[in-house]
Amino acid sequence: MVARRSLATGVLVALFAMAHVHGAQGQGAAGAAQAPAPGAPQGQGPAGRGAGGGRGGGGGGGGFPGRGPAFTPAPGAKDLKSVLYNWTWHMGMLRSGAESELIKTLDYHAEGGSIQVNGQACAITKARIQVNYQIPGYRTQIECTLPNKQTYKNVETMSGDFAWDEDIPGAELVPGKGKATPKPATLEERRIRLWASPQGAPKAAIAGAAGMPTTESFGKNPATLLDTQEKAGVKGTTTLAWQGDKAVITYPIPGVPGAIATATLDSTFLPERVVVKSGTTTTEFVYSNFQDFNNPLFKIEALMPATMVERRNGTVVRELKSKVTEIGQIYVIVPVPDSVRKAGGK
């Protein structure tokens, strides 16, 4: 296990060193952090796990010059800072010598499941989710079979203040290729889905605790960030309670006024459910059986649930069964087509 973790960490550090930050039509894209200096010392993570970044990675070892000290929660610590750190650490979202939260992008593929289409369960034959957490933006490409055997296809897309559907991924970005249909009424629903997702939820919770936008809280060690904000007198909006050995974290959904999420973590600090209340709508996301679904040649111990279930006011509206993920800072951009931009955002 230690050898595999060390190898995975080394590959990820190499990827970080080679990656660049790109942009498209004013939108941010997947990027990477600088790699530690060769020969720099590695710390020890929570519970004395091995060296390097991510699960099993550094922490509490003094960090790297210019990056702030690393942090190791005390055993059994129940304060908000320790819980947020443990949440992202056990998810495999902390990387680099300073254990900063560095997951910028996600490419997710499902192997099955279902989605509600006009009140009917549609059996998924293809589901791909590409996310850039920094814009924020994503596209969800869905193909499924309705009970009458007809095929339903759609690409649900959101970027910044815009939401739209596409008949093909990247519709209208090349003139004459595909059709983009503005869907401004779905923007808040899609923002909720993003910031209640397995990786989006801890990002939003950290941003709320730090009292800043997700675009500004990204790329920092959660503990160091919260210490800095506390010294500056900033009061966050994320709160913590306990149900036995389970942490219950409440935070606002970015960009959705009045929407409040409550995330329940299991005893290993992995999210088992996130419930979002927004007006008269309650959306529950249930996550189970977390694993590393990255390519077998590139296991980096960045975890995702095997099954993701979404219920709206008690009714299951979609269920995804994970097949493979790519969390190694791939290039994901979600530029807004001109027709959608001209139609107006929120």
Side-chain angles (χ1 to χ4, degrees), residues 10 18 43 50 55-56 61 81 87 107 176 197 208 224 227 271 275 299 305 330 344:
M18 292 185 292
R55 298 181 78 243
K81 179 174 72 172
W87 184 1
D107 190 0
S197 69
T224 302
D227 284 344
V275 179
K299 294 291 188 183
I330 59 168

Side-chain angles (χ1 to χ4, degrees), residues 201-330:
K203 288 174 176 286
I206 289 170
M212 58 175 53
T214 55
T215 52
E216 296 179 19
S217 60
F218 172 81
K220 300 177 178 63
N221 180 300
T224 302
L225 174 64
L226 296 188
D227 284 344
T228 300
Q229 294 298 91
E230 182 180 7
K231 291 177 182 177
V234 176
K235 294 187 179 298
T237 52
T238 296
T239 61
L240 170 66
W242 287 87
Q243 293 179 352
D245 62 351
K246 296 181 179 180
V248 180
I249 299 173
T250 301
Y251 63 93
I253 294 290
V256 184
I260 301 297
T262 302
T264 301
L265 311 186
D266 65 20
S267 59
T268 63
F269 296 98
L270 296 176
E272 58 184 27
R273 65 175 25 83
V274 180
V275 179
V276 181
K277 295 184 180 295
S278 180
T280 59
T281 301
T282 298
T283 310
E284 180 185 29
F285 302 84
V286 179
Y287 304 125
S288 58
N289 192 12
F290 279 79
Q291 302 174 37
D292 184 348
F293 285 97
N294 290 285
N295 186 292
L297 297 178
F298 193 45
K299 294 291 188 183
I300 60 174
E301 293 199 345
L303 305 185
M304 289 291 287
T307 302
M308 300 189 289
V309 178
E310 178 182 341
R311 296 188 182 96
R312 188 171 302 122
N313 291 334
T315 300
V316 175
V317 294
R318 63 183 62 187
E319 178 178 2
L320 298 178
K321 297 187 179 298
S322 303
K323 180 180 181 180
V324 65
T325 62
E326 175 56 75
I327 306 177
Q329 309 300 57
I330 59 168

Side-chain angles (χ1 to χ4, degrees), residues 11-326:
V11 173
L12 186 62
V13 168
L15 179 64
F16 284 165
M18 292 185 292
H20 298 279
V21 177
H22 301 277
Q25 296 188 9
Q27 298 293 342
Q34 294 179 350
Q42 298 288 339
Q44 293 297 319
R49 290 180 173 90
R55 298 181 78 243
F64 288 81
R67 296 189 181 184
F71 171 74
T72 299
K78 291 192 172 184
D79 61 287
L80 180 60
K81 179 174 72 172
S82 295
V83 169
L84 291 175
Y85 178 93
N86 276 324
W87 184 1
T88 46
W89 190 88
H90 283 271
M91 284 283 294
M93 298 173 68
L94 302 186
R95 300 284 164 177
S96 84
E99 296 203 314
S100 300
E101 197 284 285
L102 290 172
I103 301 301
K104 291 186 178 181
T105 60
L106 169 70
D107 190 0
Y108 170 95
H109 297 256
E111 65 176 358
S114 66
I115 182 171
Q116 287 286 313
V117 176
N118 298 324
Q120 300 182 81
C122 195
I124 288 175
T125 55
K126 178 178 182 178
R128 181 183 185 185
I129 305 172
Q130 294 175 291
V131 184
N132 185 317
Y133 295 107
Q134 288 190 284
I135 297 175
Y138 71 83
R139 60 175 59 88
T140 300
Q141 185 177 2
I142 298 167
E143 296 181 12
C144 60
T145 303
L146 291 161
N148 62 5
K149 305 306 180 183
Q150 288 187 332
T151 297
Y152 170 85
K153 296 182 179 181
N154 191 30
V155 184
E156 302 172 349
T157 316
M158 184 270 287
S159 182
D161 292 335
F162 298 90
W164 68 100
D165 286 351
E166 302 174 333
D167 59 353
I168 60 172
E172 296 187 16
L173 297 182
V174 175
K177 297 290 185 180
K179 173 64 176 176
T181 303
K183 295 284 185 177
T186 68
L187 179 62
E188 291 191 353
E189 173 188 320
R190 294 179 186 184
R191 281 178 170 169
I192 287 172
R193 189 169 290 128
L194 173 63
W195 298 122
S197 69
Q199 292 179 339
K203 288 174 176 286
I206 289 170
M212 58 175 53
T214 55
T215 52
E216 296 179 19
S217 60
F218 172 81
K220 300 177 178 63
N221 180 300
T224 302
L225 174 64
L226 296 188
D227 284 344
T228 300
Q229 294 298 91
E230 182 180 7
K231 291 177 182 177
V234 176
K235 294 187 179 298
T237 52
T238 296
T239 61
L240 170 66
W242 287 87
Q243 293 179 352
D245 62 351
K246 296 181 179 180
V248 180
I249 299 173
T250 301
Y251 63 93
I253 294 290
V256 184
I260 301 297
T262 302
T264 301
L265 311 186
D266 65 20
S267 59
T268 63
F269 296 98
L270 296 176
E272 58 184 27
R273 65 175 25 83
V274 180
V275 179
V276 181
K277 295 184 180 295
S278 180
T280 59
T281 301
T282 298
T283 310
E284 180 185 29
F285 302 84
V286 179
Y287 304 125
S288 58
N289 192 12
F290 279 79
Q291 302 174 37
D292 184 348
F293 285 97
N294 290 285
N295 186 292
L297 297 178
F298 193 45
K299 294 291 188 183
I300 60 174
E301 293 199 345
L303 305 185
M304 289 291 287
T307 302
M308 300 189 289
V309 178
E310 178 182 341
R311 296 188 182 96
R312 188 171 302 122
N313 291 334
T315 300
V316 175
V317 294
R318 63 183 62 187
E319 178 178 2
L320 298 178
K321 297 187 179 298
S322 303
K323 180 180 181 180
V324 65
T325 62
E326 175 56 75

